[in-house]
Amino acid sequence: MYKTQAESEDFLRGFLPALDATPDEREVVLCVPFTDLSALSKNLHGSRVQLGAQNIHWEEFGAYTGEISGPMLAEIGVRYVVVGHSERRQYFGETDETVNLRLKAAQRFGLTPILCVGETKQQRDADETESLITNQIKTDLVDVNQENLVIAYEPIWAIGTGDTCECKEANRVIGLIRSLLSNPNVPIQYGGSVKPNLIDEIMAEPEIDGVLVGGASLEPASFARIVNYQ
Ligand SMILES: O=C[C@H](O)COP(=O)(O)O
Protein backbone atom coordinates (compact mmCIF):
# COMPACT_ATOMS: atom_id res chain seq x y z
CA MET A 1 0.00 0.00 0.00
CA TYR A 2 2.53 2.51 -1.30
CA LYS A 3 2.16 5.26 -3.92
CA THR A 4 -0.83 7.17 -5.17
CA GLN A 5 -1.40 7.32 -8.91
CA ALA A 6 0.57 10.56 -9.24
CA GLU A 7 3.41 9.12 -7.17
CA SER A 8 3.57 5.96 -9.26
CA GLU A 9 3.71 8.00 -12.49
CA ASP A 10 6.48 10.07 -10.98
CA PHE A 11 8.32 6.83 -10.12
CA LEU A 12 8.11 5.70 -13.75
CA ARG A 13 9.64 8.92 -15.03
CA GLY A 14 12.74 8.13 -12.98
CA PHE A 15 12.74 4.38 -13.52
CA LEU A 16 12.07 3.73 -17.22
CA PRO A 17 15.19 5.50 -18.60
CA ALA A 18 17.35 3.22 -16.40
CA LEU A 19 16.11 0.19 -18.33
CA ASP A 20 17.99 1.21 -21.48
CA ALA A 21 20.95 -0.76 -20.11
CA THR A 22 18.93 -3.82 -19.06
CA PRO A 23 19.61 -7.07 -20.96
CA ASP A 24 16.69 -7.98 -23.25
CA GLU A 25 15.95 -11.34 -21.68
CA ARG A 26 15.42 -9.85 -18.23
CA GLU A 27 11.74 -9.54 -17.31
CA VAL A 28 10.57 -6.60 -15.23
CA VAL A 29 7.12 -6.50 -13.60
CA LEU A 30 5.60 -3.76 -11.46
CA CYS A 31 2.90 -5.10 -9.10
CA VAL A 32 1.09 -2.01 -7.90
CA PRO A 33 -2.05 -1.09 -5.93
CA PHE A 34 -5.35 -1.42 -7.82
CA THR A 35 -5.80 2.35 -8.02
CA ASP A 36 -2.50 2.73 -9.93
CA LEU A 37 -3.12 0.01 -12.52
CA SER A 38 -5.09 1.94 -15.10
CA ALA A 39 -2.69 4.89 -15.27
CA LEU A 40 0.39 2.67 -15.31
CA SER A 41 -1.10 0.50 -18.03
CA LYS A 42 -1.21 3.57 -20.27
CA ASN A 43 2.24 4.78 -19.21
CA LEU A 44 3.85 1.37 -19.74
CA HIS A 45 2.38 0.85 -23.17
CA GLY A 46 5.24 0.15 -25.57
CA SER A 47 7.75 -0.30 -22.74
CA ARG A 48 9.35 -3.58 -21.70
CA VAL A 49 7.78 -3.46 -18.23
CA GLN A 50 4.81 -5.71 -17.50
CA LEU A 51 2.04 -4.81 -15.11
CA GLY A 52 0.92 -6.84 -12.10
CA ALA A 53 -1.73 -6.57 -9.39
CA GLN A 54 -1.41 -7.53 -5.72
CA ASN A 55 -4.50 -9.70 -5.34
CA ILE A 56 -7.41 -11.22 -7.28
CA HIS A 57 -10.78 -12.68 -6.31
CA TRP A 58 -11.64 -16.16 -7.55
CA GLU A 59 -15.10 -15.38 -8.95
CA GLU A 60 -15.65 -13.77 -12.33
CA PHE A 61 -18.14 -11.26 -10.89
CA GLY A 62 -20.77 -11.10 -8.16
CA ALA A 63 -21.73 -9.72 -4.77
CA TYR A 64 -18.23 -9.53 -3.31
CA THR A 65 -17.99 -5.89 -2.29
CA GLY A 66 -14.45 -4.59 -2.25
CA GLU A 67 -13.02 -7.39 -4.37
CA ILE A 68 -11.44 -7.26 -7.86
CA SER A 69 -11.89 -10.01 -10.47
CA GLY A 70 -9.67 -11.47 -13.16
CA PRO A 71 -11.57 -9.93 -16.08
CA MET A 72 -11.36 -6.49 -14.43
CA LEU A 73 -7.58 -6.83 -14.27
CA ALA A 74 -7.09 -8.41 -17.67
CA GLU A 75 -9.14 -5.74 -19.43
CA ILE A 76 -6.74 -2.97 -18.38
CA GLY A 77 -3.61 -4.84 -19.43
CA VAL A 78 -2.58 -6.58 -16.21
CA ARG A 79 -0.50 -9.70 -16.93
CA TYR A 80 0.63 -10.85 -13.46
CA VAL A 81 -0.91 -11.04 -10.01
CA VAL A 82 0.64 -11.69 -6.61
CA VAL A 83 -1.25 -14.42 -4.74
CA GLY A 84 -0.88 -15.49 -1.11
CA HIS A 85 1.54 -12.80 0.02
CA SER A 86 2.33 -13.37 3.69
CA GLU A 87 0.66 -10.08 4.61
CA ARG A 88 -2.58 -11.33 3.02
CA ARG A 89 -2.22 -14.59 4.93
CA GLN A 90 -1.34 -12.85 8.20
CA TYR A 91 -3.72 -9.87 8.25
CA PHE A 92 -6.58 -10.75 5.90
CA GLY A 93 -7.43 -14.37 6.58
CA GLU A 94 -5.87 -15.83 3.44
CA THR A 95 -5.58 -19.61 3.67
CA ASP A 96 -3.97 -22.23 1.44
CA GLU A 97 -7.47 -23.06 0.19
CA THR A 98 -8.29 -19.49 -0.86
CA VAL A 99 -4.79 -19.11 -2.31
CA ASN A 100 -5.50 -22.17 -4.46
CA LEU A 101 -8.79 -20.66 -5.67
CA ARG A 102 -7.08 -17.37 -6.55
CA LEU A 103 -4.25 -19.12 -8.43
CA LYS A 104 -6.72 -21.04 -10.57
CA ALA A 105 -8.81 -17.92 -11.19
CA ALA A 106 -5.75 -15.94 -12.32
CA GLN A 107 -4.91 -18.62 -14.85
CA ARG A 108 -8.53 -18.95 -15.97
CA PHE A 109 -8.59 -15.27 -16.88
CA GLY A 110 -5.24 -15.27 -18.66
CA LEU A 111 -3.02 -13.89 -15.91
CA THR A 112 0.21 -15.37 -14.54
CA PRO A 113 0.04 -15.76 -10.76
CA ILE A 114 3.07 -15.15 -8.55
CA LEU A 115 2.54 -17.49 -5.59
CA CYS A 116 4.24 -16.43 -2.34
CA VAL A 117 5.27 -19.01 0.26
CA GLY A 118 7.48 -18.77 3.32
CA GLU A 119 7.93 -19.60 6.97
CA THR A 120 7.76 -17.46 10.12
CA LYS A 121 10.75 -17.03 12.44
CA GLN A 122 9.05 -19.27 14.94
CA GLN A 123 8.59 -22.02 12.36
CA ARG A 124 12.22 -21.71 11.24
CA ASP A 125 13.49 -21.88 14.82
CA ALA A 126 11.33 -24.97 15.40
CA ASP A 127 12.91 -26.62 12.36
CA GLU A 128 9.59 -26.59 10.53
CA THR A 129 10.69 -24.71 7.40
CA GLU A 130 10.78 -27.71 5.11
CA SER A 131 7.50 -29.23 6.25
CA LEU A 132 5.72 -25.85 6.12
CA ILE A 133 6.99 -25.04 2.64
CA THR A 134 6.19 -28.54 1.40
CA ASN A 135 2.67 -28.28 2.73
CA GLN A 136 2.11 -24.81 1.26
CA ILE A 137 3.36 -25.83 -2.16
CA LYS A 138 1.36 -29.05 -2.27
CA THR A 139 -1.88 -27.52 -1.00
CA ASP A 140 -1.66 -24.25 -2.91
CA LEU A 141 -0.89 -25.92 -6.24
CA VAL A 142 -3.65 -28.54 -6.40
CA ASP A 143 -4.95 -28.45 -10.01
CA VAL A 144 -2.82 -25.39 -10.82
CA ASN A 145 -1.16 -25.30 -14.25
CA GLN A 146 2.58 -25.17 -13.68
CA GLU A 147 3.22 -23.93 -17.22
CA ASN A 148 1.87 -20.49 -16.29
CA LEU A 149 3.19 -19.81 -12.82
CA VAL A 150 5.86 -17.94 -10.87
CA ILE A 151 6.73 -18.79 -7.27
CA ALA A 152 8.35 -16.46 -4.73
CA TYR A 153 10.04 -17.87 -1.65
CA GLU A 154 9.62 -15.16 0.96
CA PRO A 155 10.69 -16.08 4.50
CA ILE A 156 8.35 -13.94 6.59
CA TRP A 157 11.08 -13.00 9.09
CA ALA A 158 13.06 -11.44 6.21
CA ILE A 159 10.26 -9.26 4.80
CA GLY A 160 10.71 -5.57 5.54
CA THR A 161 13.14 -6.31 8.37
CA GLY A 162 16.53 -5.80 6.71
CA ASP A 163 17.28 -9.35 7.87
CA THR A 164 17.91 -10.90 4.46
CA CYS A 165 18.01 -14.69 4.22
CA GLU A 166 21.51 -16.06 3.63
CA CYS A 167 21.86 -16.55 -0.12
CA LYS A 168 22.94 -20.16 0.23
CA GLU A 169 19.96 -20.91 2.48
CA ALA A 170 17.52 -19.20 0.10
CA ASN A 171 19.06 -21.23 -2.70
CA ARG A 172 18.60 -24.44 -0.69
CA VAL A 173 14.92 -23.79 0.08
CA ILE A 174 14.22 -22.81 -3.51
CA GLY A 175 15.86 -26.07 -4.59
CA LEU A 176 13.47 -27.87 -2.25
CA ILE A 177 10.50 -26.04 -3.79
CA ARG A 178 11.70 -26.97 -7.28
CA SER A 179 11.96 -30.62 -6.28
CA LEU A 180 8.26 -30.57 -5.36
CA LEU A 181 7.12 -29.30 -8.76
CA SER A 182 6.08 -31.31 -11.78
CA ASN A 183 7.56 -28.55 -13.99
CA PRO A 184 11.15 -27.79 -12.94
CA ASN A 185 11.18 -24.72 -15.22
CA VAL A 186 8.78 -22.68 -13.09
CA PRO A 187 10.63 -19.41 -12.33
CA ILE A 188 11.28 -19.22 -8.57
CA GLN A 189 12.16 -15.91 -6.98
CA TYR A 190 13.59 -14.94 -3.61
CA GLY A 191 11.91 -12.12 -1.65
CA GLY A 192 12.71 -10.54 1.71
CA SER A 193 14.85 -7.42 2.24
CA VAL A 194 16.41 -7.61 -1.21
CA LYS A 195 18.65 -4.53 -1.47
CA PRO A 196 20.92 -3.13 -4.21
CA ASN A 197 24.08 -4.13 -2.33
CA LEU A 198 22.96 -7.79 -2.12
CA ILE A 199 21.47 -8.37 -5.54
CA ASP A 200 24.58 -9.56 -7.35
CA GLU A 201 25.24 -12.19 -4.69
CA ILE A 202 21.59 -13.33 -4.64
CA MET A 203 21.36 -13.68 -8.41
CA ALA A 204 24.62 -15.64 -8.54
CA GLU A 205 22.85 -18.55 -6.80
CA PRO A 206 21.91 -21.23 -9.32
CA GLU A 207 18.38 -21.97 -8.09
CA ILE A 208 17.30 -18.33 -7.78
CA ASP A 209 15.67 -17.11 -10.99
CA GLY A 210 14.70 -13.63 -9.85
CA VAL A 211 13.61 -11.48 -6.93
CA LEU A 212 10.41 -10.07 -5.50
CA VAL A 213 11.28 -6.66 -4.11
CA GLY A 214 9.30 -4.56 -1.63
CA GLY A 215 10.92 -1.58 0.09
CA ALA A 216 13.87 -1.28 -2.27
CA SER A 217 11.56 -1.05 -5.29
CA LEU A 218 9.95 2.19 -4.15
CA GLU A 219 12.77 4.46 -5.26
CA PRO A 220 13.72 4.47 -8.99
CA ALA A 221 17.53 4.36 -8.62
CA SER A 222 17.40 1.60 -6.03
CA PHE A 223 15.05 -0.61 -8.05
CA ALA A 224 16.99 0.10 -11.27
CA ARG A 225 20.21 -1.11 -9.63
CA ILE A 226 18.41 -4.33 -8.66
CA VAL A 227 17.01 -4.86 -12.14
CA ASN A 228 20.44 -4.17 -13.64
CA TYR A 229 22.27 -6.71 -11.48
CA GLN A 230 25.66 -7.94 -12.73
O1 LIG B 1 6.14 -7.43 -1.02
C1 LIG B 1 7.34 -7.45 -1.00
C2 LIG B 1 8.08 -8.51 -0.38
O2 LIG B 1 7.33 -9.06 0.62
C3 LIG B 1 9.44 -8.12 0.09
O3 LIG B 1 9.43 -6.92 0.84
P1 LIG B 1 10.82 -6.25 1.30
O4 LIG B 1 11.72 -6.27 0.11
O5 LIG B 1 10.46 -4.87 1.74
O6 LIG B 1 11.36 -7.10 2.42
Side-chain angles (χ1 to χ4, degrees):
M1 200 170 70
Y2 291 101
K3 295 200 189 296
T4 65
Q5 188 173 297
E7 288 166 346
S8 68
E9 290 178 301
D10 194 44
F11 169 89
L12 275 195
R13 280 189 283 277
F15 178 64
L16 289 181
L19 298 180
D20 290 348
T22 309
D24 287 345
E25 69 281 4
R26 215 164 278 183
E27 202 168 350
V28 185
V29 182
L30 290 174
C31 296
V32 301
F34 293 128
T35 49
D36 297 345
L37 288 170
S38 205
L40 285 208
S41 180
K42 293 188 188 86
N43 280 292
L44 291 175
H45 190 72
S47 88
R48 59 176 297 157
V49 180
Q50 300 289 341
L51 191 57
Q54 299 181 358
N55 200 6
I56 180 175
H57 194 262
W58 52 86
E59 292 294 341
E60 184 177 357
F61 58 86
Y64 301 100
T65 302
E67 294 294 317
I68 302 284
S69 74
M72 294 171 181
L73 297 174
E75 186 189 58
I76 54 174
V78 172
R79 298 275 303 278
Y80 289 85
V81 60
V82 177
V83 174
H85 191 281
S86 65
E87 288 148 19
R88 301 301 311 173
R89 296 179 191 256
Q90 187 179 356
Y91 304 136
F92 301 100
E94 193 79 80
T95 65
D96 288 315
E97 287 66 34
T98 54
V99 165
N100 176 257
L101 290 171
R102 292 183 208 276
L103 291 171
K104 290 185 291 190
Q107 294 182 334
R108 199 160 67 243
F109 297 112
L111 308 176
T112 300
I114 303 168
L115 165 66
C116 300
V117 297
E119 80 287 357
T120 61
K121 176 87 171 65
Q122 199 181 18
Q123 287 160 337
R124 173 158 284 266
D125 290 347
D127 223 5
E128 292 170 1
T129 299
E130 291 176 20
S131 59
L132 183 278
I133 296 287
T134 301
N135 186 56
Q136 280 186 326
I137 291 290
K138 289 195 167 162
T139 318
D140 294 353
L141 291 184
V142 172
D143 295 330
V144 169
N145 175 7
Q146 295 189 12
E147 298 300 320
N148 180 30
L149 175 69
V150 175
I151 296 175
Y153 168 55
E154 295 212 303
I156 296 169
W157 49 270
I159 296 175
T161 58
D163 194 7
T164 318
C165 186
E166 287 281 321
C167 295
K168 295 265 174 283
E169 176 58 7
N171 188 69
R172 186 187 72 81
V173 178
I174 288 175
L176 164 73
I177 293 171
R178 201 176 302 285
S179 74
L180 298 168
L181 302 175
S182 57
N183 175 13
N185 298 319
V186 171
I188 309 180
Q189 308 173 320
Y190 167 75
S193 295
V194 172
K195 305 293 177 203
N197 63 323
L198 299 171
I199 188 64
D200 298 341
E201 194 187 341
I202 293 170
M203 291 308 299
E205 292 295 335
E207 294 285 358
I208 302 180
D209 297 316
V211 285
L212 199 163
V213 190
S217 71
L218 296 173
E219 198 272 312
S222 159
F223 192 42
R225 172 64 185 88
I226 289 172
V227 169
N228 292 328
Y229 68 86
Q230 301 302 304

